[in-house]
Amino acid sequence: MRDENCIFCKIMAGEIPSRTLFEDDDFKVIMDVGPAAKGHSLIVPKQHYADIYELPSELAGEAMKLAKRMATHMTTVLNCDGFNIMQNNGEVAGQTVFHYHLHLVPRYKDAAPILTWTQNHFSDEEMDELAEKLSVK
Ligand code: 5GP
Ligand code: ZN
């Protein structure tokens, strides 16, 4: 599966260069061109799936296994102090490239924050309603 207008499909096909850290039949791990921190890289499936909703469950599992392997390796090599694994779905969630990818972001003590949000407050009643609605039966 490929989308002719997708930059990551072109990178996966080798038509646009990337710094590739790992490759197998299903994935490439490439360095992000606009890194949030030193070493920020992306796990990208070779086939085009726009987001988590399109990604087959089996590949989702394989992507997370690869994330564990890469995070472990990168932490050793970079000697970073922590690690974020992130994934955006939809423009409102910050997705800018609509070909599924997992962000691997090494974190360093004293570096600028990259993830912040303001905590919301919902009433106990609203929280109970939400819990009921969101429960997987
Ligand atoms: P998103 O915002 O969709 O979660 O993340 C897209 C990421 O892809 C961004 O961090 C951005 O810097 C990165 N990116 C965009 N275009 C390219 C590219 O051509 N090559 C590489 N290696 N990364 C890219
Ligand atoms: Zn694509």
Side-chain angles (χ1 to χ4, degrees):
M1 270 186 356
R2 176 184 166 119
D3 177 333
E4 288 308 321
N5 298 315
C6 172
I7 187 146
F8 281 5
C9 281
K10 290 179 181 140
I11 292 173
M12 292 302 106
E15 294 160 16
I16 291 179
S18 62
R19 292 186 176 86
T20 303
L21 308 182
F22 173 86
E23 178 169 7
D24 67 8
D25 288 346
D26 295 323
F27 299 97
K28 273 190 187 184
V29 180
I30 62 171
M31 292 190 72
D32 196 299
V33 287
K38 188 174 76 177
H40 180 178
S41 298
L42 304 168
I43 295 180
V44 186
K46 288 188 170 176
Q47 301 293 315
H48 182 90
Y49 303 104
D51 50 31
I52 191 79
Y53 309 110
E54 287 190 4
L55 186 74
S57 293
E58 192 181 318
L59 271 188
E62 292 304 319
M64 196 46 78
K65 278 195 219 167
L66 183 53
K68 176 177 168 62
R69 183 175 172 190
M70 288 304 304
T72 304
H73 172 71
M74 290 168 74
T75 299
T76 303
V77 172
L78 293 166
N79 197 28
C80 56
D81 304 302
F83 212 97
N84 288 120
I85 295 167
M86 298 177 300
Q87 198 268 312
N88 302 324
N89 298 283
E91 202 173 340
V92 73
Q95 188 175 11
T96 57
V97 176
F98 294 88
H99 177 133
Y100 176 93
H101 50 280
L102 268 182
H103 291 264
L104 303 171
V105 188
R107 301 299 301 275
Y108 305 90
K109 276 189 197 113
D110 304 326
I114 65 166
L115 291 172
T116 55
W117 64 79
T118 309
Q119 287 191 344
N120 291 280
H121 178 78
F122 299 100
S123 68
D124 283 347
E125 197 177 51
E126 283 174 299
M127 291 295 274
D128 289 345
E129 261 176 41
L130 266 176
E132 174 62 24
K133 199 190 271 188
L134 295 176
S135 294
V136 180
K137 310 279 196 262

